[in-house]
Amino acid sequence: MHDDRTLVEARLKRVLDERIRPAVYPASVPLDVAVWNAPGEPVPVAEGLAAEPSPTAVGERWGAPWGTSWFRVTGTVPKEWAGKSVEAILDLGFDENMPGFQCEGLVYRPDGTPVKGLNPRNQWVRIAAPAEGGEEVRLHVEAASNPVILDYHPFLPTQLGDKETAGSEPQYKLERMDLAVFDETVWQLVIDLEVLGELMEELPTDSGRRYDIVRAVGRALDAVDLQDVNGSAAAARAQLAGVLTTPAEPSAHRISAVGHAHIDSAWLWPLRETVRKVARTTSNMTALIEDEPDFVFAMSQAQQWAWIKEHRPEVWAKVKKAVADGRFVPAGGMWVESDTNMPGSEAMARQFVHGKRFFLDEFGVENDEAWLPDTFGFAAGLPQIIKAAGSKWLLTQKISWSQTNRFPHHTFNWEGIDGTRIFTHFPPVDTYNCSMKGSEIAHAAKNFKDKGVARHSLAPTGWGDGGGGTTREMIAKAARLRDLEGSATVQWETPEQFFEKAEAEYPNPPVWVGELYLELHRATLTSQAGTKQGNRRSEHLLREAELWAATAAVRSAGFAYPYEQLDRIWKTVLLHQFHDILPGSSIAWVHREARATYAALAQELTGIIDEAQRALAGEGADPLVFNSTPHPRHGVPAGGAGPAAVEGRSTVASREGGGFVLDNGLLRVEVDGRGLVVSAYDLLADRETVAPGRAANLPQVHADFPNMWDAWDVDEFYRNTVTDLVEADEVEAADAVAGGGASVRVVRSFGDSRLTQLLTLTPGTQRLDIDTEVDWHETEKFLKLAFPLDIHAERYASETQFGHFYRATHTNTSWEAAKFEACNHRFVHIEEPGWGVALVNDSTYGHDVTRTVRDEDSGTTTTVRVSLLRAPRFPDPETDQGVHRFRHALVAGAAIGDAVREGYRINLPERRVTGGSEVAPLVTVDDDAVVVTAVKLADDGSGDVVVRFHESRGGRAKPTLTAGFTAGSVAVTDLLERPLDGVNAPELAGDAVTVPLRPFELVTLRFTRA
């Protein structure tokens, strides 16, 4: 037989495009349209429905950027349509290639009942099935004219990312507002042909199955009367029945389809628009659930559920019913799908506390899975946090975006820094927006790396990013793929059902140890410095507020612990850790609001702290220092208050050849005439810190224009050009600072910017404090601060949640070379046996570490560079412009414990209050290796005291914790403060308890008060 395969395939495409798809709606009549444009921000639904609209028409332009227009559409179903299915086709001016990134709408009935959402791939609204003829139609559409930020030519700077700069030019043109007859038989024929055509393209050209499909498609196209598609569609479908009912091979890959709409809580739209995106998507999904008995939809991010409950009660009622029916599934157990690299220990824990508690309180649902399909890499401390929250599985997809190395598994056990292992799955479909295309299903089966030992994978199915969710077309395709020869099988399942099957079939999966580093989007550790500083400051203010409020509630009669206030603030901070807000990859509007929010939270938390400290200090004029760090400080115990000890003084003297020498008897620092640190000599160890012939505290500027994803990416070639900022406008000794420290002030000008630093040597420490102010007005530049150290080290430690993680300083393999920009929390630590250096910070995350061998002495120079600022122009063209302040400290002779201590010190400054008596800690720990991350009252309002702590140095510990109150009992709990099953309560010896810890183990204790 002659091979006519390509002829049939080309015929299929044209007939589908030009004859069959247009016949889905064989008859239509126009609707009457009127519009009311809401002034300013969106209005309540009742107000939008009651507003008096003005007549408009198809072809008219509408919608200023970020505006809301309320369309009223009215009409009558023609009598001759009786017995037919009738739908409204409402095309607001959609581009079908941009679901989630364009205008959208939510359709209401006149009584305010939500019907469904409108988006580029979902423009229909069912009117009657079947119609009686003569029905009056009246619908209202709340239409959001969200501008297109990420266009066909992506990453171009735009002012559309903030309503304050976006202008008022209408963004869209009404394309279609019709009533139409919906021919379901033709629609089903379209799905039949799409599924078979897409499958055909994926099968080998020499396979019999492919030619079975070719012949069946050819017969079906022969059966289509091109002048009467609607009359011949059933006959065409009959020609396809055989190939659509041939079952899959027993060895076929098995896909669990989970209805999904990955909705970014903010990205190329502001937070307020996400509230409406969620309402539109969930309205669509509850409507689909009513129509499709097999369909299951999963939605993560408790914050988004809370928004529906608060802002759209009419939608919430439908969601609650679908949840009760087991069809609409709360997923993930986190407040938002957060970044996991930068949130601190407690913040990462609270993501699960607040997320899981919301789903438990509202629905009685306990989430066993963490659901993070789009997060930009995963910190090595996360597995034990997941386990401590009572969960056991993790799903993500983003690692498939890595540029250099392909991850070797799709299903595996992920081992964290403490040894905890979490069963983890990366969907091999390589998208969290699966649309059930044949190419996607075939890719999942071919790509799955665990063939031969496992057969199940998961496919999050539905339009995401900007929302939209699953469509009826996706559901129809999945029905045909349930058991189809040549394809993987597809079945709608919940995340729990998938993980149970996957875990059961793969009892001994491979193990991956350490962080799941995304080899992409590395610049998210630096972009939008103001947002990152707001996060770090909020985390530490919350620590202080909980600590002092709990202490005051226990010690001071009449002080009320602010449960509701702290709960609300925590949720706000957690929301802003979403994986486009904290990483700095959202539009200008989002970050402008974030900075204002953080400022308001700081004021509110400072008020809580001040009130609690005043209650604790009592009446009197004695100077008291409150120490919020987990270590003693200047003679003041951790978590207590008292007079601070004086620890000598530092001196500043002129340096031969220019500059100054700072000395405190422990560390001698030489700052040359350029304002650079050319020596930091550890007088106790008789050891130099700075590499020979090099200068530390060196600002460096790189050109920074990545190939794509401007705010997200820094490409390795940025290192090819660098400008060392060695010229100084001023280098002078500064006035003495509080506590007897000696300082040098340095001012530099470069480009259109100015950098001012204060280098301070504090008495009694081996720490050089570096306060940096940058008035930044550069474009597409990257500012770093370099510290070349005279240390030979093949690895270094960077702090992560509840511990630290080691990375290589070398580039032996492509895996190490790809980590040319990485994340740390409060410290980076590098050491040779017996001596090390820590670089600590108060608000930066990105850094790089490189090593070279010097020709002159064969010694190794290990250079640590902290990343300060960037200046990408997309999606916020004004990213980071303005004044920024950073604090760093170089700690010589530091062991890892010193790095931990100094990291807390720089983030938790002393607070000075006058009062009448010292304040004893609410809880004391007898081992400096053990760090207390939280002291608080139990969330249930019982008055119990909750203490969370961990081993911080990577070794064994057996600390004794002593309560500063009369303890009635103590229990080991999970993060949600529930006693752990199968774990015996430690014995109280008076008010003390001893708890053995493995390296980096975190423990939560709950004390009742007698």
Side-chain angles (χ1 to χ4, degrees):
M1 178 179 285
H2 296 296
D3 187 354
D4 61 349
R5 173 180 55 81
T6 57
L7 194 66
V8 173
E9 291 170 354
R11 181 188 181 195
L12 172 61
K13 183 180 187 309
R14 185 175 187 195
V15 173
L16 262 177
D17 288 346
E18 297 184 24
R19 292 293 188 271
I20 302 178
R21 287 195 184 98
V24 170
Y25 293 105
S28 64
V29 296
L31 288 159
D32 293 324
V33 188
V35 65
W36 176 73
N37 298 309
E41 285 295 278
V43 300
V45 173
E47 184 177 342
L49 294 174
E52 187 58 39
S54 301
T56 188
V58 168
E60 292 295 319
R61 297 195 67 80
W62 71 278
W66 306 113
T68 301
S69 297
W70 282 84
F71 290 97
R72 184 186 67 197
V73 295
T74 56
T76 303
V77 177
K79 292 286 189 183
E80 59 269 26
W81 291 0
K84 300 180 184 296
S85 293
V86 178
E87 295 183 348
I89 309 300
L90 307 178
D91 185 345
L92 301 174
F94 297 126
D95 179 339
E96 289 193 1
N97 295 315
M98 292 190 174
F101 294 91
Q102 275 214 328
C103 57
E104 299 172 43
L106 182 53
V107 180
Y108 294 90
R109 295 190 180 93
D111 64 1
T113 303
V115 180
K116 68 186 296 290
L118 298 176
N119 63 60
R121 296 294 182 99
N122 212 325
Q123 303 174 21
W124 59 275
V125 180
R126 181 176 295 119
I127 301 299
E132 296 179 358
E135 293 98 329
E136 294 296 322
V137 176
R138 184 186 180 97
L139 298 171
H140 298 262
V141 181
E142 180 190 18
S145 50
N146 302 331
V148 175
I149 306 294
L150 191 67
D151 214 332
Y152 286 100
H153 189 165
F155 318 122
L156 289 180
T158 176
Q159 295 296 327
L160 290 172
D162 195 329
K163 65 177 181 178
E164 296 185 351
T165 60
S168 58
E169 185 69 22
Q171 299 292 293
Y172 298 100
K173 182 177 72 173
L174 284 182
E175 289 293 338
R176 187 177 182 185
M177 293 281 177
D178 288 347
L179 285 178
V181 171
F182 173 66
D183 190 328
E184 184 172 357
T185 302
V186 176
W187 182 81
Q188 295 284 5
L189 175 60
V190 170
I191 303 299
D192 290 344
L193 290 171
E194 285 183 349
V195 167
L196 291 171
E198 291 165 1
L199 175 59
M200 188 164 54
E201 291 179 4
E202 300 301 323
L203 293 170
T205 56
D206 60 354
S207 72
R209 174 62 169 164
R210 182 161 183 162
Y211 280 91
D212 287 345
I213 296 173
V214 168
R215 300 294 161 234
V217 168
R219 291 191 299 271
L221 295 177
D222 290 341
V224 173
D225 182 343
L226 298 183
Q227 276 65 53
D228 185 15
V229 172
N230 301 89
S232 57
R237 291 199 72 203
Q239 297 297 324
L240 301 173
V243 290
L244 282 169
T245 55
T246 308
E249 297 91 343
S251 61
H253 185 67
R254 297 169 185 173
I255 293 177
S256 297
V258 178
H260 191 50
H262 167 70
I263 302 178
D264 288 314
S265 289
W267 180 28
L268 304 180
W269 45 86
L271 287 166
R272 65 92 155 143
E273 191 55 33
T274 312
V275 176
R276 302 201 296 176
K277 282 178 173 287
V278 173
R280 292 188 283 261
T281 297
T282 53
S283 295
N284 265 346
M285 297 305 98
T286 53
L288 268 184
I289 284 170
E290 292 174 1
D291 291 343
E292 303 291 346
D294 293 332
F295 177 56
V296 176
F297 182 77
M299 190 170 90
S300 65
Q301 307 192 74
Q303 170 68 89
Q304 295 186 2
W305 294 70
W307 278 333
I308 308 172
K309 181 181 180 183
E310 178 183 358
H311 297 286
R312 297 296 169 109
E314 65 282 2
V315 179
W316 179 248
K318 291 188 172 186
V319 168
K320 286 193 72 174
K321 180 182 182 304
V323 172
D325 293 340
R327 308 280 303 287
F328 200 119
V329 180
M334 296 177 67
W335 190 246
V336 295
E337 289 182 12
S338 72
D339 180 81
T340 75
N341 285 313
M342 291 176 281
S345 302
E346 273 304 305
M348 200 73 255
R350 304 300 174 96
Q351 286 286 352
F352 288 91
V353 169
H354 288 284
K356 293 196 72 167
R357 186 173 289 142
F358 181 90
F359 293 142
L360 282 164
D361 290 347
E362 295 292 338
F363 307 112
V365 171
E366 174 88 25
N367 293 106
D368 286 326
E369 77 288 334
W371 183 275
L372 291 164
D374 191 30
T375 296
F376 308 154
F378 298 89
L382 187 57
Q384 75 163 328
I385 298 174
I386 294 173
K387 182 178 179 181
S391 298
K392 56 185 178 180
W393 301 317
L394 169 67
L395 177 133
T396 185
Q397 180 272 321
K398 198 69 172 189
I399 299 298
S400 69
W401 285 41
S402 285
Q403 288 177 315
T404 306
N405 299 285
R406 296 192 67 191
F407 198 80
H409 317 294
H410 280 108
T411 303
F412 60 100
N413 275 333
W414 178 29
E415 182 177 319
I417 55 174
D418 74 314
T420 297
R421 292 181 175 180
I422 294 295
F423 188 80
T424 302
H425 180 67
F426 292 171
V429 71
D430 281 351
T431 178
Y432 46 79
N433 295 327
C434 177
S435 62
M436 286 291 137
K437 282 185 180 177
S439 57
E440 294 170 336
I441 302 305
H443 176 74
K446 294 173 185 175
N447 187 41
F448 189 56
K449 297 185 185 304
D450 302 285
K451 298 181 186 75
V453 287
R455 191 176 293 165
H456 284 81
S457 72
L458 186 146
T461 302
W463 300 117
D465 292 317
T470 317
T471 65
R472 62 181 176 182
E473 289 78 14
M474 296 175 194
I475 292 174
K477 285 188 173 186
R480 288 156 175 81
L481 296 170
R482 185 179 182 93
D483 190 12
L484 183 62
E485 183 186 355
S487 171
T489 66
V490 176
Q491 183 174 354
W492 294 105
E493 293 188 306
T494 66
E496 180 181 26
Q497 288 170 328
F498 161 74
F499 273 109
E500 286 178 343
K501 288 181 179 179
E503 200 168 29
E505 76 173 359
Y506 208 2
N508 295 298
V511 177
W512 182 270
V513 178
E515 68 181 333
L516 295 170
Y517 179 92
L518 176 63
E519 297 169 356
L520 195 73
H521 293 357
R522 302 166 180 89
T524 57
L525 303 173
T526 305
S527 297
Q528 296 287 1
T531 300
K532 290 171 171 57
Q533 290 181 323
N535 174 73
R536 179 76 70 84
R537 186 182 184 199
S538 296
E539 289 181 355
H540 288 87
L541 285 170
L542 276 162
R543 172 195 175 90
E544 291 187 83
E546 289 183 337
L547 169 64
W548 300 121
T551 306
V554 173
R555 297 274 172 74
S556 303
F559 184 90
Y561 189 80
Y563 291 101
E564 293 183 2
Q565 190 178 8
L566 289 170
D567 180 80
R568 172 178 50 78
I569 293 172
W570 262 118
K571 288 173 179 174
T572 302
V573 172
L574 298 177
L575 166 60
H576 286 79
Q577 291 177 340
F578 177 75
H579 66 251
D580 280 304
I581 304 178
L582 180 54
S585 47
S586 293
I587 55 174
W589 188 348
V590 173
H591 292 289
R592 173 172 56 80
E593 288 189 332
R595 292 189 294 270
T597 297
Y598 284 130
L601 293 182
Q603 184 175 7
E604 192 173 358
L605 287 166
T606 300
I608 295 172
I609 295 164
D610 288 347
E611 183 180 359
Q613 290 180 341
R614 285 197 302 271
L616 289 164
E619 298 295 328
D622 296 335
L624 300 175
V625 170
F626 279 77
N627 175 19
S628 301
T629 74
H631 306 93
R633 184 171 178 175
H634 303 316
V636 180
V646 178
E647 298 180 341
R649 59 187 294 271
S650 299
T651 61
V652 58
S654 295
R655 174 179 175 271
E656 185 177 350
F660 298 91
V661 177
L662 303 170
D663 196 324
N664 64 3
L666 301 174
L667 187 67
R668 183 176 66 241
V669 176
E670 296 186 31
V671 180
D672 70 6
R674 303 170 298 172
L676 303 177
V677 175
V678 292
S679 175
Y681 201 84
D682 180 350
L683 297 169
L684 295 181
D686 192 22
R687 169 79 185 250
E688 177 60 65
T689 303
V690 180
R694 302 291 299 277
N697 188 43
L698 170 65
Q700 296 180 309
V701 176
H702 297 267
D704 182 19
F705 189 61
N707 288 344
M708 56 195 307
W709 299 108
D710 296 45
W712 295 255
D713 282 356
V714 56
D715 290 328
E716 191 171 15
F717 55 73
Y718 89 92
R719 289 178 170 176
N720 296 348
T721 56
V722 61
T723 301
D724 293 342
L725 303 180
V726 296
E727 301 297 327
D729 302 339
E730 302 174 30
V731 179
E732 60 184 12
D735 295 335
V737 298
S743 301
V744 174
R745 180 173 178 268
V746 182
V747 180
R748 305 181 194 279
S749 299
F750 60 99
D752 294 321
S753 303
R754 181 180 175 91
L755 184 148
T756 303
Q757 290 187 306
L758 190 68
L759 282 62
T760 302
L761 186 60
T762 303
T765 71
Q766 292 174 272
R767 183 186 72 240
L768 177 68
D769 290 324
I770 303 166
D771 292 86
T772 304
E773 178 182 287
V774 187
D775 189 3
W776 180 246
H777 298 283
E778 305 306 303
T779 299
E780 294 165 350
K781 298 289 174 63
F782 196 1
L783 179 64
K784 285 181 169 268
L785 198 58
F787 295 84
L789 307 174
D790 191 14
I791 293 182
H792 178 96
E794 294 182 356
R795 66 176 190 173
Y796 71 97
S798 63
E799 189 185 30
T800 189
Q801 293 98 2
F802 299 108
H804 56 266
F805 173 69
Y806 287 102
R807 297 187 186 93
T809 61
H810 57 75
T811 55
N812 279 0
T813 72
S814 59
W815 294 89
E816 285 123 9
K819 295 184 180 182
F820 59 82
E821 185 79 5
C823 182
N824 68 284
H825 287 185
R826 286 167 290 229
F827 70 79
V828 167
H829 180 257
I830 302 177
E831 69 176 345
E832 296 173 2
W835 193 87
V837 174
L839 189 62
V840 301
N841 73 83
D842 78 335
S843 60
T844 58
Y845 296 91
H847 70 276
D848 69 89
V849 179
T850 55
R851 66 196 298 270
T852 58
V853 175
R854 303 184 293 268
D855 291 337
E856 57 272 22
D857 64 356
S858 296
T860 300
T861 297
T862 303
T863 301
V864 181
R865 300 195 307 162
V866 297
S867 303
L868 298 182
L869 292 167
R870 299 183 68 238
R873 301 187 66 209
F874 181 87
D876 176 4
E878 302 297 322
T879 301
D880 283 335
Q881 301 300 297
V883 176
H884 303 270
R885 295 176 179 86
F886 307 94
R887 297 193 69 211
H888 294 83
L890 183 69
V891 188
I896 194 71
D898 300 314
V900 174
R901 183 188 65 250
E902 295 296 338
Y904 274 101
R905 179 204 62 81
I906 200 170
N907 282 275
L908 289 163
E910 298 171 340
R911 294 185 182 271
R912 299 178 182 274
V913 179
T914 56
S917 61
E918 298 181 19
V919 179
L922 198 59
V923 176
T924 58
V925 185
D926 68 352
D927 188 338
D928 274 354
V930 176
V931 167
V932 174
T933 61
V935 176
K936 58 189 289 293
L937 296 193
D939 290 344
D940 61 7
S942 62
D944 292 353
V945 175
V946 173
V947 184
R948 188 149 35 248
F949 54 95
H950 71 283
E951 195 288 321
S952 69
R953 300 179 186 176
R956 300 275 175 173
K958 196 172 183 179
T960 297
L961 281 79
T962 304
F965 54 89
T966 304
S969 64
V970 63
V972 180
T973 73
D974 65 7
L975 294 179
L976 278 70
E977 302 167 5
R978 305 173 297 189
L980 288 176
D981 293 336
V983 176
N984 294 325
E987 291 187 9
L988 273 173
D991 297 321
V993 60
T994 300
V995 182
L997 298 175
R998 65 178 183 273
F1000 300 129
E1001 182 179 5
L1002 80 89
V1003 171
T1004 304
L1005 294 182
R1006 179 170 179 158
F1007 292 89
T1008 62
R1009 291 152 57 194

